[in-house]
Amino acid sequence: MEEAKQKKRKKPVKKITIRCRKCFMVDSYTPNEKKCRHCGAELYLIDAI
């Protein structure tokens, strides 16, 4: 019965904080996100904070 009560946990998603070169907004992105959420510019790992 105790095993049924345990909730399955999702694996934590690795996020990287990157500053956009175009709009200078800082946000956290997953490795598969390649565009800025705010302006749509391409993101570069070299701009990670």
Side-chain angles (χ1 to χ4, degrees), residues 10-48:
K10 293 182 181 179
K11 289 186 177 181
V13 178
K14 183 178 180 183
K15 291 194 173 186
I16 304 166
T17 304
I18 300 176
R19 183 183 65 191
C20 177
R21 289 182 176 192
K22 185 175 180 183
C23 67
F24 302 108
M25 291 293 294
V26 177
D27 210 341
S28 294
Y29 295 92
T30 58
N32 60 349
E33 292 180 287
K34 304 295 182 193
K35 300 282 183 178
C36 175
R37 291 186 188 128
H38 306 280
C39 70
E42 189 172 346
L43 297 173
Y44 301 96
L45 288 177
I46 197 166
D47 295 328

